[in-house]
Amino acid sequence: FGTLGTRTDYTGTVWTKELNSVSWNGKEPKADIREWANDHTLMSKGITLNADELVNLMAVMGNIVGVKE
């Protein structure tokens, strides 16, 4: 399903933090957040969220940074 966004703020690193949409075995896609090597041969531990969990996380993060719904 592909990369939804990347964020890199590590000077001189070969890793990027990515938000990807992934689906296994034909199930509903989930949001996957983790760091990847630029060539995608290595990955860090990450977190996978279904749509409801992602919405809830976004609401919590919005409250933390002061964004109103």
Side-chain angles (χ1 to χ4, degrees):
F1 288 10
T3 301
L4 303 174
T6 62
R7 176 69 181 150
T8 305
D9 53 8
Y10 316 116
T11 304
T13 187
V14 295
W15 290 83
T16 59
K17 192 168 304 239
E18 296 184 12
L19 170 60
N20 292 295
S21 176
V22 296
S23 177
W24 295 278
N25 301 319
K27 294 182 181 176
E28 287 294 315
K30 294 185 177 189
D32 181 77
I33 303 169
R34 70 182 68 239
E35 290 180 328
W36 285 89
N38 285 341
D39 61 4
H40 275 223
T41 58
L42 300 170
M43 65 182 174
S44 69
K45 291 183 179 178
I47 184 171
T48 304
L49 305 165
N50 65 32
D52 291 335
E53 293 168 330
L54 183 59
V55 168
N56 288 335
L57 176 61
M58 291 170 55
V60 169
M61 293 177 71
N63 289 335
I64 291 171
V65 297
V67 175
K68 304 292 181 198
E69 291 185 28

